[in-house]
Amino acid sequence: MTKHYILQLDPSAKYEWDRCSLRDPITADRPEFAGLIAQAVGEQPGSYLVSVKIEVQVLEQAAPQSQRELPPISELSSELPTRVPVLQSRVA
């Protein structure tokens, strides 16, 4: 069974539990490993001695937001419209 998760490491996070978080890339849920292991074992009731192998492969690394390079404001201003239409709504 192969599962993909997003690991976020933030040593400066306000709370301890947000310094290292593992989330599903689609639902943003935190993985519940006991449920995943039970799914792999099957539906038969009982106690099982299981071996769990975790293999980690980094597929992509995103730069932290504070380190992402943005173009200078002068380059962005040439792409911005000079006039923006204003929409008015009437309340009946």
Side-chain angles (χ1 to χ4, degrees):
M1 171 185 335
T2 300
K3 297 286 186 179
H4 293 88
Y5 298 103
I6 295 175
L7 173 67
Q8 183 172 357
L9 302 173
D10 184 3
S12 62
K14 184 176 181 180
Y15 299 106
E16 177 69 30
W17 60 84
D18 279 339
R19 291 187 182 149
C20 176
S21 64
L22 194 63
R23 302 212 179 254
D24 183 284
I26 297 172
T27 64
D29 292 336
R30 293 181 187 237
E32 197 256 305
F33 289 111
L36 292 172
I37 294 167
Q39 181 182 3
V41 168
E43 299 179 10
Q44 293 293 330
S47 296
Y48 296 87
L49 175 63
V50 297
S51 171
V52 178
K53 183 189 300 185
I54 297 177
E55 180 181 334
V56 177
Q57 181 181 8
V58 177
L59 300 175
E60 181 178 326
Q61 180 183 4
Q65 290 182 354
S66 61
Q67 294 179 359
R68 289 187 183 163
E69 299 220 4
L70 297 176
I73 241 358
S74 59
E75 290 179 23
L76 291 175
S77 62
S78 64
E79 298 174 12
L80 298 174
T82 55
R83 298 181 73 189
V84 177
V86 177
L87 301 175
Q88 296 180 350
S89 63
R90 296 184 194 190
V91 178

